[in-house]
Amino acid sequence: MTEQFYPYRPDYAVPPGWVIEERIEAQGISPGELADSCGLAPELVADIIAGESTIDTDTAAKLEEALGLDASIWLGIEADFRASLSIPQS
């Protein structure tokens, strides 16, 4: 029997801030505590959560360290979300 591979290709993208909110809630920390542990400005964390700022490579590395989710995943979530904003909705 041959195994079939079905790649994961969702038809939607979530803002990275949603994922951050879920992770900090699961870890029992506040956005301010996340900012402190990452060495990021609280305003930047708030803006990322609100979808007003993007996650760059430096921020992704800091989120990886603080939240335990690989930087490449943060960058992928960001890229997918930004790309979805440029696709016309039908």
Side-chain angles (χ1 to χ4, degrees):
M1 181 190 324
T2 304
E3 282 189 45
Q4 292 188 347
F5 175 73
Y6 298 97
Y8 179 67
R9 290 192 186 112
D11 60 354
Y12 63 92
V14 298
W18 289 10
V19 180
I20 291 172
E21 283 183 311
E22 285 184 0
R23 298 292 293 197
I24 64 175
E25 184 177 303
Q27 292 183 8
I29 62 174
S30 70
E33 291 170 322
L34 173 63
D36 287 344
S37 69
C38 288
L40 298 171
E43 297 81 11
L44 176 59
V45 171
D47 287 348
I48 291 170
I49 290 173
E52 296 170 4
S53 289
T54 60
I55 296 175
D56 60 18
T57 55
D58 182 53
T59 303
K62 291 177 180 180
L63 290 171
E64 175 181 351
E65 186 74 26
L67 298 175
L69 193 59
D70 193 80
S72 65
I73 294 173
W74 289 115
L75 294 171
I77 293 168
E78 178 68 43
D80 290 346
F81 177 64
R82 297 299 162 184
S84 76
L85 295 178
S86 65
I87 299 171
Q89 302 297 314
S90 49

